[in-house]
Amino acid sequence: MKPILCALALLLTAQAFNIDVDDPPDRLNTEQLQRLHGLMDRDSDGKVTLGELKGHKKDSEAFWAKRDASSVLDDLDIDGDGYVNEDELLSVNLLDPPCDDAKCHRQRENNRREHDLSFKHADEDGNQLLDEAELRYYYHTSHHEVIRLELTKAHAESRDKNKDGELSPAEFWGNAGYEDDDDPTDDEIDDVLMKDFKALDEDGNGKLSVQEANEWYNGRFMAHQDMTDLLATTDVDEDGVITQEEMTGSMFDEGRNNLAFNFIDWWTAAAQKGEL
């Protein structure tokens, strides 16, 4: 579809469903929820599964990341060549703020290391410039498996105080291994954090490998938890799926702000993509 027709379709969609894509509503109405349910229901069986929820969340996040990259390119492309070079990135990312203590210096070193890793792997064509697609990976590292894993390795190394190649609960949840910080002990980690740690610890050895820790840092662990909670909140009859009736009814219950946020966010992304 040509750009002008895409823009027209987007405008007509927004008007038809009474939504301002630049100023999302606080709550979706029944018609909007029914339409969103249809988008989430990828196999058109009238039910939304956990897998479909996670897939829709991933697609929505990818859309926002792409739009963010476009906006960032507009802001950072100082010389107007359609690319962002490393100097342009460093000029706005403030990786080197004034430092007057050891913690600040260590954080600055970590920030620079993360920048170097992200820029190196985001620059997929090796031209020392980032285009819009590459900027998406630089700023949204969870969308690039190599970048995210390399950052997790570096992060784990900075937290691994005893240098055994794995992270204890205190190392994982502590203060990034700064020598001047008082890190908690394993016994001081609260129950909620320990529950998440044990869920990440797939081999049950009481420590996290880089791969296990990466499930936290790449966002997959929390995405699974969030979508599991969303399903449980919406699935009134507890059959493991969300019907259109359950989805439309849930939105109008009080005290479900997180649920409402997800649906509104997904609706807005779909409206801006012209899918509705």
Side-chain angles (χ1 to χ4, degrees):
M1 184 180 292
K2 294 182 182 298
I4 190 170
L5 295 181
C6 288
L8 179 59
L10 174 58
L11 176 61
L12 292 175
T13 296
Q15 291 175 342
F17 289 96
N18 301 313
I19 185 169
D20 181 352
V21 294
D22 292 320
D23 184 21
D26 295 328
R27 177 170 292 185
L28 301 181
N29 61 38
T30 299
E31 185 180 8
Q32 291 167 341
L33 285 167
Q34 290 172 343
R35 184 66 173 169
L36 181 59
H37 185 277
L39 286 177
M40 295 161 60
D41 179 18
R42 299 188 178 194
D43 59 8
S44 302
D45 67 350
K47 303 172 183 178
V48 175
T49 64
L50 176 61
E52 287 172 326
L53 282 175
K54 291 164 69 174
H56 199 82
K57 176 180 174 65
K58 183 177 180 180
D59 290 347
S60 180
E61 289 176 344
F63 167 77
W64 291 122
K66 183 177 180 180
R67 201 180 78 154
D68 287 348
S70 178
S71 177
V72 167
L73 181 62
D74 290 341
D75 291 339
L76 300 190
D77 183 17
I78 298 171
D79 57 16
D81 64 354
Y83 294 90
V84 174
N85 60 46
E86 192 162 14
D87 288 339
E88 289 169 334
L89 278 175
L90 292 175
S91 71
V92 296
N93 283 344
L94 301 178
L95 296 178
D96 298 319
C99 276
D100 56 7
D101 57 52
K103 178 178 178 179
C104 180
H105 281 290
R106 184 68 63 86
Q107 184 61 56
R108 187 168 65 183
E109 291 173 1
N110 287 341
N111 289 345
R112 184 57 191 246
R113 181 170 60 247
E114 290 186 5
H115 161 80
D116 290 342
L117 286 170
S118 298
F119 191 93
K120 172 185 175 182
H121 293 289
D123 180 22
E124 295 186 326
D125 57 11
N127 67 350
Q128 301 302 307
L129 300 169
L130 301 186
D131 60 19
E132 182 178 310
E134 293 169 330
L135 272 173
R136 168 188 163 188
Y137 297 134
Y138 176 85
Y139 280 103
H140 296 269
T141 57
S142 63
H143 294 218
H144 194 291
E145 291 291 338
V146 173
I147 296 176
R148 186 60 265 168
L149 184 58
E150 289 301 314
L151 289 176
T152 297
K153 288 178 180 177
H155 199 55
E157 182 179 351
S158 72
R159 290 185 180 238
D160 184 15
K161 283 193 164 184
N162 63 2
K163 305 303 178 185
D164 66 351
E166 295 185 300
L167 299 178
S168 68
E171 289 171 334
F172 183 69
W173 293 119
N175 293 314
Y178 300 139
E179 294 178 359
D180 56 328
D181 285 347
D182 292 327
D183 287 346
T185 66
D186 288 350
D187 293 337
E188 293 172 332
I189 303 297
D190 69 48
D191 292 341
V192 173
L193 295 182
M194 279 303 302
K195 181 180 178 181
D196 286 343
F197 184 92
K198 291 177 180 178
L200 289 164
D201 181 18
E202 292 186 356
D203 61 11
N205 71 342
K207 296 185 177 183
L208 298 186
S209 66
V210 169
Q211 292 290 349
E212 290 170 334
N214 196 46
E215 288 300 297
W216 177 269
Y217 292 116
N218 65 23
R220 283 195 289 262
F221 178 83
M222 287 307 301
H224 177 78
Q225 296 286 81
D226 289 346
M227 293 303 97
T228 299
D229 291 344
L230 189 153
L231 178 64
T233 303
T234 315
D235 179 20
V236 177
D237 61 8
E238 300 182 353
D239 64 349
V241 295
I242 301 172
T243 63
Q244 193 174 90
E245 292 74 18
E246 288 173 327
M247 185 162 163
T248 56
S250 68
M251 194 67 167
F252 299 98
D253 289 347
E254 296 298 326
R256 296 189 176 184
N257 294 332
N258 188 52
L259 177 66
F261 171 81
N262 279 289
F263 289 163
I264 291 170
D265 179 69
W266 297 346
W267 169 270
T268 306
Q272 295 207 18
K273 288 189 286 183
E275 293 180 342
L276 297 169

Short mmCIF file of all heavy atoms in Angstrom, two decimals, residues 153-213:
data_model
loop_
_atom_site.label_atom_id
_atom_site.label_comp_id
_atom_site.label_asym_id
_atom_site.label_seq_id
_atom_site.Cartn_x
_atom_site.Cartn_y
_atom_site.Cartn_z
N LYS A 153 26.63 -11.21 29.57
CA LYS A 153 27.95 -11.73 29.96
C LYS A 153 28.76 -10.67 30.69
O LYS A 153 29.37 -10.94 31.74
CB LYS A 153 28.72 -12.20 28.71
CG LYS A 153 28.19 -13.47 28.08
CD LYS A 153 29.00 -13.80 26.83
CE LYS A 153 28.51 -15.07 26.16
NZ LYS A 153 29.25 -15.37 24.91
N ALA A 154 28.78 -9.45 30.15
CA ALA A 154 29.54 -8.37 30.78
C ALA A 154 28.95 -8.01 32.13
O ALA A 154 29.68 -7.76 33.10
CB ALA A 154 29.55 -7.14 29.86
N HIS A 155 27.63 -7.98 32.20
CA HIS A 155 26.96 -7.64 33.46
C HIS A 155 27.23 -8.72 34.51
O HIS A 155 27.50 -8.41 35.67
CB HIS A 155 25.46 -7.52 33.19
CG HIS A 155 24.71 -6.77 34.24
ND1 HIS A 155 25.06 -5.49 34.63
CD2 HIS A 155 23.64 -7.12 34.99
CE1 HIS A 155 24.22 -5.09 35.57
NE2 HIS A 155 23.36 -6.06 35.81
N ALA A 156 27.15 -9.98 34.09
CA ALA A 156 27.40 -11.07 35.02
C ALA A 156 28.84 -11.03 35.53
O ALA A 156 29.11 -11.28 36.71
CB ALA A 156 27.11 -12.41 34.34
N GLU A 157 29.77 -10.71 34.65
CA GLU A 157 31.17 -10.63 35.06
C GLU A 157 31.37 -9.55 36.12
O GLU A 157 32.14 -9.74 37.08
CB GLU A 157 32.05 -10.33 33.85
CG GLU A 157 33.53 -10.28 34.16
CD GLU A 157 34.38 -9.99 32.94
OE1 GLU A 157 33.83 -10.00 31.82
OE2 GLU A 157 35.59 -9.75 33.10
N SER A 158 30.67 -8.42 35.98
CA SER A 158 30.83 -7.35 36.96
C SER A 158 30.19 -7.71 38.30
O SER A 158 30.60 -7.20 39.35
CB SER A 158 30.20 -6.06 36.43
OG SER A 158 28.78 -6.13 36.42
N ARG A 159 29.21 -8.60 38.29
CA ARG A 159 28.54 -8.98 39.54
C ARG A 159 29.15 -10.22 40.19
O ARG A 159 28.91 -10.47 41.37
CB ARG A 159 27.05 -9.24 39.26
CG ARG A 159 26.26 -7.99 38.93
CD ARG A 159 24.78 -8.30 38.80
NE ARG A 159 24.02 -7.10 38.48
CZ ARG A 159 23.03 -6.63 39.23
NH1 ARG A 159 22.69 -7.25 40.34
NH2 ARG A 159 22.40 -5.54 38.87
N ASP A 160 29.90 -10.98 39.43
CA ASP A 160 30.43 -12.26 39.91
C ASP A 160 31.64 -12.01 40.81
O ASP A 160 32.78 -12.10 40.38
CB ASP A 160 30.80 -13.12 38.71
CG ASP A 160 31.28 -14.50 39.12
OD1 ASP A 160 31.05 -14.90 40.27
OD2 ASP A 160 31.87 -15.18 38.25
N LYS A 161 31.37 -11.75 42.07
CA LYS A 161 32.45 -11.36 42.99
C LYS A 161 33.47 -12.46 43.22
O LYS A 161 34.66 -12.19 43.36
CB LYS A 161 31.85 -10.90 44.32
CG LYS A 161 31.25 -9.51 44.27
CD LYS A 161 30.98 -9.00 45.67
CE LYS A 161 30.75 -7.51 45.67
NZ LYS A 161 30.57 -6.97 47.02
N ASN A 162 33.01 -13.71 43.32
CA ASN A 162 33.97 -14.79 43.60
C ASN A 162 34.52 -15.42 42.32
O ASN A 162 35.29 -16.38 42.38
CB ASN A 162 33.34 -15.87 44.48
CG ASN A 162 32.17 -16.57 43.81
OD1 ASN A 162 31.84 -16.27 42.65
ND2 ASN A 162 31.53 -17.48 44.52
N LYS A 163 34.13 -14.88 41.16
CA LYS A 163 34.68 -15.27 39.86
C LYS A 163 34.56 -16.77 39.61
O LYS A 163 35.47 -17.40 39.04
CB LYS A 163 36.15 -14.83 39.74
CG LYS A 163 36.37 -13.34 39.99
CD LYS A 163 35.53 -12.48 39.05
CE LYS A 163 35.71 -11.00 39.32
NZ LYS A 163 34.81 -10.15 38.48
N ASP A 164 33.40 -17.34 39.98
CA ASP A 164 33.18 -18.76 39.70
C ASP A 164 32.39 -18.98 38.42
O ASP A 164 32.05 -20.12 38.07
CB ASP A 164 32.49 -19.44 40.88
CG ASP A 164 31.06 -18.93 41.11
OD1 ASP A 164 30.68 -17.92 40.46
OD2 ASP A 164 30.34 -19.52 41.94
N GLY A 165 32.07 -17.91 37.71
CA GLY A 165 31.38 -18.03 36.44
C GLY A 165 29.87 -18.12 36.55
O GLY A 165 29.17 -18.24 35.53
N GLU A 166 29.34 -18.06 37.78
CA GLU A 166 27.89 -18.11 37.99
C GLU A 166 27.51 -17.06 39.04
O GLU A 166 28.37 -16.54 39.76
CB GLU A 166 27.45 -19.50 38.44
CG GLU A 166 27.67 -20.57 37.38
CD GLU A 166 27.12 -21.92 37.82
OE1 GLU A 166 27.58 -22.42 38.87
OE2 GLU A 166 26.25 -22.46 37.14
N LEU A 167 26.23 -16.78 39.14
CA LEU A 167 25.76 -15.75 40.06
C LEU A 167 24.91 -16.34 41.18
O LEU A 167 23.93 -17.05 40.92
CB LEU A 167 24.92 -14.71 39.30
CG LEU A 167 25.64 -13.95 38.19
CD1 LEU A 167 24.67 -13.00 37.49
CD2 LEU A 167 26.84 -13.19 38.73
N SER A 168 25.30 -16.04 42.40
CA SER A 168 24.49 -16.41 43.56
C SER A 168 23.32 -15.43 43.64
O SER A 168 23.30 -14.41 42.94
CB SER A 168 25.32 -16.32 44.83
OG SER A 168 25.65 -14.95 45.09
N PRO A 169 22.32 -15.70 44.50
CA PRO A 169 21.22 -14.73 44.64
C PRO A 169 21.71 -13.34 45.01
O PRO A 169 21.23 -12.34 44.45
CB PRO A 169 20.38 -15.35 45.76
CG PRO A 169 20.61 -16.82 45.64
CD PRO A 169 22.05 -16.95 45.25
N ALA A 170 22.68 -13.25 45.93
CA ALA A 170 23.19 -11.94 46.33
C ALA A 170 23.91 -11.24 45.19
O ALA A 170 23.78 -10.03 45.00
CB ALA A 170 24.12 -12.09 47.53
N GLU A 171 24.67 -12.01 44.41
CA GLU A 171 25.37 -11.41 43.27
C GLU A 171 24.38 -10.95 42.20
O GLU A 171 24.54 -9.88 41.62
CB GLU A 171 26.36 -12.42 42.69
CG GLU A 171 27.56 -12.68 43.59
CD GLU A 171 28.42 -13.83 43.10
OE1 GLU A 171 27.88 -14.73 42.40
OE2 GLU A 171 29.61 -13.85 43.42
N PHE A 172 23.37 -11.77 41.96
CA PHE A 172 22.41 -11.43 40.91
C PHE A 172 21.56 -10.22 41.29
O PHE A 172 21.34 -9.32 40.48
CB PHE A 172 21.50 -12.63 40.64
CG PHE A 172 20.53 -12.41 39.52
CD1 PHE A 172 20.96 -12.30 38.21
CD2 PHE A 172 19.17 -12.31 39.77
CE1 PHE A 172 20.07 -12.10 37.17
CE2 PHE A 172 18.27 -12.09 38.73
CZ PHE A 172 18.71 -12.00 37.42
N TRP A 173 21.08 -10.19 42.53
CA TRP A 173 20.19 -9.10 42.95
C TRP A 173 20.93 -7.96 43.64
O TRP A 173 20.32 -6.95 43.98
CB TRP A 173 19.14 -9.63 43.92
CG TRP A 173 18.17 -10.59 43.31
CD1 TRP A 173 17.97 -11.89 43.68
CD2 TRP A 173 17.23 -10.34 42.26
NE1 TRP A 173 16.99 -12.47 42.91
CE2 TRP A 173 16.52 -11.53 42.03
CE3 TRP A 173 16.94 -9.22 41.48
CZ2 TRP A 173 15.53 -11.64 41.06
CZ3 TRP A 173 15.96 -9.32 40.51
CH2 TRP A 173 15.26 -10.51 40.32
N GLY A 174 22.26 -8.12 43.85
CA GLY A 174 22.99 -7.13 44.63
C GLY A 174 23.28 -5.85 43.87
O GLY A 174 22.63 -5.51 42.89
N ASN A 175 24.30 -5.13 44.30
CA ASN A 175 24.60 -3.80 43.79
C ASN A 175 25.69 -3.80 42.73
O ASN A 175 26.65 -3.05 42.80
CB ASN A 175 25.01 -2.89 44.96
CG ASN A 175 23.85 -2.64 45.89
OD1 ASN A 175 22.75 -2.35 45.46
ND2 ASN A 175 24.09 -2.78 47.19
N ALA A 176 25.55 -4.71 41.77
CA ALA A 176 26.42 -4.73 40.58
C ALA A 176 27.89 -4.96 40.90
O ALA A 176 28.75 -4.68 40.08
CB ALA A 176 26.26 -3.44 39.78
N GLY A 177 28.20 -5.47 42.10
CA GLY A 177 29.57 -5.84 42.41
C GLY A 177 30.50 -4.69 42.70
O GLY A 177 31.71 -4.87 42.71
N TYR A 178 29.97 -3.48 42.94
CA TYR A 178 30.87 -2.36 43.27
C TYR A 178 31.53 -2.63 44.61
O TYR A 178 30.88 -2.97 45.59
CB TYR A 178 30.08 -1.05 43.35
CG TYR A 178 29.40 -0.66 42.07
CD1 TYR A 178 28.12 -0.14 42.08
CD2 TYR A 178 30.06 -0.79 40.85
CE1 TYR A 178 27.49 0.22 40.91
CE2 TYR A 178 29.43 -0.43 39.67
CZ TYR A 178 28.16 0.07 39.70
OH TYR A 178 27.53 0.44 38.54
N GLU A 179 32.82 -2.46 44.66
CA GLU A 179 33.57 -2.80 45.86
C GLU A 179 33.21 -1.90 47.04
O GLU A 179 33.39 -2.29 48.19
CB GLU A 179 35.07 -2.72 45.57
CG GLU A 179 35.54 -3.77 44.56
CD GLU A 179 37.01 -3.64 44.26
OE1 GLU A 179 37.64 -2.72 44.83
OE2 GLU A 179 37.52 -4.44 43.47
N ASP A 180 32.71 -0.69 46.75
CA ASP A 180 32.42 0.23 47.84
C ASP A 180 30.97 0.13 48.31
O ASP A 180 30.54 0.88 49.15
CB ASP A 180 32.71 1.67 47.41
CG ASP A 180 31.95 2.07 46.15
OD1 ASP A 180 31.72 1.19 45.31
OD2 ASP A 180 31.61 3.26 46.03
N ASP A 181 30.20 -0.81 47.75
CA ASP A 181 28.81 -1.00 48.16
C ASP A 181 28.70 -2.14 49.15
O ASP A 181 29.50 -3.08 49.14
CB ASP A 181 27.92 -1.32 46.96
CG ASP A 181 27.67 -0.08 46.11
OD1 ASP A 181 27.96 1.04 46.57
OD2 ASP A 181 27.19 -0.26 44.99
N ASP A 182 27.70 -2.09 49.99
CA ASP A 182 27.42 -3.19 50.91
C ASP A 182 26.36 -4.08 50.28
O ASP A 182 25.16 -3.82 50.36
CB ASP A 182 26.93 -2.65 52.26
CG ASP A 182 28.00 -1.90 53.01
OD1 ASP A 182 29.17 -2.28 52.87
OD2 ASP A 182 27.67 -0.94 53.72
N ASP A 183 26.80 -5.13 49.59
CA ASP A 183 25.86 -6.04 48.95
C ASP A 183 25.15 -6.88 50.00
O ASP A 183 25.71 -7.20 51.05
CB ASP A 183 26.60 -6.99 48.00
CG ASP A 183 27.06 -6.28 46.74
OD1 ASP A 183 26.59 -5.16 46.50
OD2 ASP A 183 27.88 -6.86 46.00
N PRO A 184 23.90 -7.28 49.72
CA PRO A 184 23.20 -8.17 50.65
C PRO A 184 23.79 -9.57 50.60
O PRO A 184 24.47 -9.94 49.64
CB PRO A 184 21.77 -8.16 50.11
CG PRO A 184 21.95 -7.91 48.64
CD PRO A 184 23.10 -6.96 48.53
N THR A 185 23.56 -10.33 51.63
CA THR A 185 23.91 -11.74 51.61
C THR A 185 22.74 -12.52 51.02
O THR A 185 21.64 -11.99 50.85
CB THR A 185 24.20 -12.26 53.02
OG1 THR A 185 22.97 -12.22 53.79
CG2 THR A 185 25.26 -11.42 53.71
N ASP A 186 22.99 -13.80 50.70
CA ASP A 186 21.90 -14.62 50.16
C ASP A 186 20.72 -14.67 51.11
O ASP A 186 19.55 -14.67 50.70
CB ASP A 186 22.40 -16.04 49.89
CG ASP A 186 23.34 -16.09 48.68
OD1 ASP A 186 23.45 -15.08 47.97
OD2 ASP A 186 23.96 -17.15 48.46
N ASP A 187 20.99 -14.70 52.41
CA ASP A 187 19.92 -14.79 53.41
C ASP A 187 19.09 -13.52 53.50
O ASP A 187 17.97 -13.53 54.02
CB ASP A 187 20.50 -15.12 54.79
CG ASP A 187 21.10 -16.51 54.85
OD1 ASP A 187 20.68 -17.36 54.02
OD2 ASP A 187 21.97 -16.74 55.69
N GLU A 188 19.64 -12.41 53.01
CA GLU A 188 18.95 -11.13 53.10
C GLU A 188 18.06 -10.83 51.89
O GLU A 188 17.34 -9.84 51.88
CB GLU A 188 19.96 -10.00 53.29
CG GLU A 188 20.68 -10.05 54.63
CD GLU A 188 21.81 -9.03 54.72
OE1 GLU A 188 22.38 -8.68 53.66
OE2 GLU A 188 22.13 -8.62 55.84
N ILE A 189 18.13 -11.68 50.86
CA ILE A 189 17.28 -11.48 49.68
C ILE A 189 15.83 -11.81 50.04
O ILE A 189 15.56 -12.86 50.63
CB ILE A 189 17.74 -12.38 48.52
CG1 ILE A 189 19.21 -12.10 48.19
CG2 ILE A 189 16.86 -12.16 47.30
CD1 ILE A 189 19.49 -10.71 47.71
N ASP A 190 14.90 -10.92 49.69
CA ASP A 190 13.52 -11.14 50.12
C ASP A 190 12.87 -12.29 49.35
O ASP A 190 13.37 -12.75 48.31
CB ASP A 190 12.68 -9.86 50.01
CG ASP A 190 12.43 -9.42 48.58
OD1 ASP A 190 12.03 -10.25 47.75
OD2 ASP A 190 12.61 -8.22 48.30
N ASP A 191 11.74 -12.76 49.85
CA ASP A 191 11.09 -13.97 49.33
C ASP A 191 10.65 -13.81 47.88
O ASP A 191 10.72 -14.78 47.10
CB ASP A 191 9.88 -14.33 50.20
CG ASP A 191 10.29 -14.78 51.60
OD1 ASP A 191 11.47 -15.16 51.78
OD2 ASP A 191 9.43 -14.76 52.51
N VAL A 192 10.17 -12.65 47.50
CA VAL A 192 9.69 -12.45 46.14
C VAL A 192 10.85 -12.58 45.15
O VAL A 192 10.74 -13.25 44.11
CB VAL A 192 9.02 -11.06 45.99
CG1 VAL A 192 8.68 -10.80 44.52
CG2 VAL A 192 7.78 -10.99 46.85
N LEU A 193 11.98 -11.95 45.46
CA LEU A 193 13.14 -12.04 44.59
C LEU A 193 13.70 -13.46 44.54
O LEU A 193 14.14 -13.94 43.49
CB LEU A 193 14.23 -11.07 45.04
CG LEU A 193 13.88 -9.58 44.95
CD1 LEU A 193 15.05 -8.72 45.38
CD2 LEU A 193 13.45 -9.21 43.54
N MET A 194 13.68 -14.14 45.67
CA MET A 194 14.17 -15.52 45.71
C MET A 194 13.28 -16.44 44.88
O MET A 194 13.76 -17.37 44.23
CB MET A 194 14.25 -16.03 47.15
CG MET A 194 15.49 -15.58 47.90
SD MET A 194 17.06 -16.06 47.07
CE MET A 194 16.92 -17.84 46.97
N LYS A 195 11.98 -16.17 44.87
CA LYS A 195 11.06 -16.97 44.06
C LYS A 195 11.40 -16.83 42.58
O LYS A 195 11.46 -17.83 41.85
CB LYS A 195 9.62 -16.53 44.32
CG LYS A 195 8.60 -17.34 43.53
CD LYS A 195 7.19 -16.86 43.84
CE LYS A 195 6.16 -17.64 43.01
NZ LYS A 195 4.77 -17.17 43.29
N ASP A 196 11.66 -15.61 42.16
CA ASP A 196 12.04 -15.38 40.76
C ASP A 196 13.40 -16.03 40.47
O ASP A 196 13.60 -16.61 39.39
CB ASP A 196 12.10 -13.89 40.45
CG ASP A 196 10.72 -13.25 40.33
OD1 ASP A 196 9.73 -14.00 40.16
OD2 ASP A 196 10.63 -12.01 40.42
N PHE A 197 14.33 -15.91 41.40
CA PHE A 197 15.66 -16.49 41.21
C PHE A 197 15.54 -18.00 41.01
O PHE A 197 16.16 -18.57 40.10
CB PHE A 197 16.55 -16.19 42.41
CG PHE A 197 17.97 -16.66 42.26
CD1 PHE A 197 18.94 -15.82 41.74
CD2 PHE A 197 18.34 -17.94 42.63
CE1 PHE A 197 20.25 -16.24 41.58
CE2 PHE A 197 19.64 -18.39 42.48
CZ PHE A 197 20.61 -17.53 41.96
N LYS A 198 14.75 -18.66 41.83
CA LYS A 198 14.60 -20.11 41.73
C LYS A 198 13.93 -20.51 40.42
O LYS A 198 14.23 -21.57 39.84
CB LYS A 198 13.81 -20.64 42.92
CG LYS A 198 14.58 -20.55 44.24
CD LYS A 198 13.74 -21.02 45.41
CE LYS A 198 14.53 -20.92 46.72
NZ LYS A 198 13.70 -21.33 47.90
N ALA A 199 13.01 -19.68 39.94
CA ALA A 199 12.36 -19.97 38.66
C ALA A 199 13.36 -19.83 37.51
O ALA A 199 13.28 -20.58 36.52
CB ALA A 199 11.18 -19.02 38.45
N LEU A 200 14.28 -18.91 37.62
CA LEU A 200 15.32 -18.74 36.59
C LEU A 200 16.36 -19.85 36.65
O LEU A 200 16.96 -20.21 35.63
CB LEU A 200 16.02 -17.38 36.77
CG LEU A 200 15.21 -16.13 36.42
CD1 LEU A 200 15.87 -14.89 37.02
CD2 LEU A 200 15.09 -15.99 34.91
N ASP A 201 16.58 -20.39 37.84
CA ASP A 201 17.62 -21.40 38.07
C ASP A 201 17.13 -22.76 37.58
O ASP A 201 16.70 -23.61 38.35
CB ASP A 201 17.95 -21.45 39.57
CG ASP A 201 19.03 -22.45 39.90
OD1 ASP A 201 19.75 -22.87 38.97
OD2 ASP A 201 19.14 -22.82 41.08
N GLU A 202 17.22 -22.98 36.27
CA GLU A 202 16.62 -24.17 35.66
C GLU A 202 17.27 -25.47 36.12
O GLU A 202 16.59 -26.50 36.23
CB GLU A 202 16.68 -24.06 34.13
CG GLU A 202 15.79 -22.97 33.57
CD GLU A 202 15.75 -22.98 32.05
OE1 GLU A 202 16.48 -23.81 31.45
OE2 GLU A 202 14.98 -22.19 31.48
N ASP A 203 18.58 -25.46 36.37
CA ASP A 203 19.23 -26.71 36.79
C ASP A 203 19.20 -26.89 38.31
O ASP A 203 19.66 -27.91 38.82
CB ASP A 203 20.66 -26.79 36.26
CG ASP A 203 21.55 -25.67 36.77
OD1 ASP A 203 21.14 -24.94 37.69
OD2 ASP A 203 22.67 -25.51 36.22
N GLY A 204 18.67 -25.90 39.02
CA GLY A 204 18.48 -26.03 40.46
C GLY A 204 19.74 -26.11 41.29
O GLY A 204 19.72 -26.63 42.42
N ASN A 205 20.84 -25.54 40.79
CA ASN A 205 22.10 -25.63 41.54
C ASN A 205 22.31 -24.45 42.48
O ASN A 205 23.36 -24.32 43.09
CB ASN A 205 23.29 -25.77 40.58
CG ASN A 205 23.58 -24.47 39.82
OD1 ASN A 205 22.72 -23.58 39.75
ND2 ASN A 205 24.77 -24.37 39.25
N GLY A 206 21.33 -23.57 42.58
CA GLY A 206 21.42 -22.45 43.50
C GLY A 206 22.17 -21.25 42.94
O GLY A 206 22.36 -20.25 43.65
N LYS A 207 22.58 -21.31 41.68
CA LYS A 207 23.27 -20.21 41.03
C LYS A 207 22.76 -20.07 39.60
O LYS A 207 22.19 -21.00 39.04
CB LYS A 207 24.79 -20.43 41.04
CG LYS A 207 25.41 -20.46 42.43
CD LYS A 207 26.92 -20.56 42.35
CE LYS A 207 27.53 -20.51 43.74
NZ LYS A 207 29.02 -20.55 43.69
N LEU A 208 22.99 -18.89 39.02
CA LEU A 208 22.55 -18.66 37.65
C LEU A 208 23.74 -18.62 36.71
O LEU A 208 24.72 -17.90 36.94
CB LEU A 208 21.79 -17.34 37.54
CG LEU A 208 20.50 -17.20 38.34
CD1 LEU A 208 19.81 -15.88 38.00
CD2 LEU A 208 19.56 -18.36 38.09
N SER A 209 23.64 -19.40 35.65
CA SER A 209 24.62 -19.29 34.56
C SER A 209 24.29 -18.05 33.74
O SER A 209 23.25 -17.40 33.94
CB SER A 209 24.54 -20.53 33.66
OG SER A 209 23.27 -20.57 33.00
N VAL A 210 25.17 -17.71 32.82
CA VAL A 210 24.91 -16.57 31.95
C VAL A 210 23.62 -16.78 31.16
O VAL A 210 22.80 -15.86 31.02
CB VAL A 210 26.10 -16.34 30.99
CG1 VAL A 210 25.72 -15.33 29.90
CG2 VAL A 210 27.31 -15.84 31.76
N GLN A 211 23.43 -17.98 30.65
CA GLN A 211 22.22 -18.26 29.87
C GLN A 211 20.97 -18.13 30.72
O GLN A 211 19.95 -17.59 30.26
CB GLN A 211 22.30 -19.67 29.26
CG GLN A 211 23.36 -19.84 28.18
CD GLN A 211 23.00 -19.10 26.89
OE1 GLN A 211 21.89 -18.63 26.72
NE2 GLN A 211 23.96 -19.00 25.98
N GLU A 212 21.03 -18.61 31.96
CA GLU A 212 19.87 -18.49 32.84
C GLU A 212 19.60 -17.03 33.20
O GLU A 212 18.45 -16.58 33.19
CB GLU A 212 20.10 -19.32 34.11
CG GLU A 212 20.06 -20.83 33.86
CD GLU A 212 20.52 -21.64 35.06
OE1 GLU A 212 21.31 -21.12 35.87
OE2 GLU A 212 20.09 -22.80 35.19
N ALA A 213 20.64 -16.29 33.51
CA ALA A 213 20.49 -14.87 33.84
C ALA A 213 19.96 -14.09 32.64
O ALA A 213 19.20 -13.13 32.79
CB ALA A 213 21.82 -14.28 34.30
#
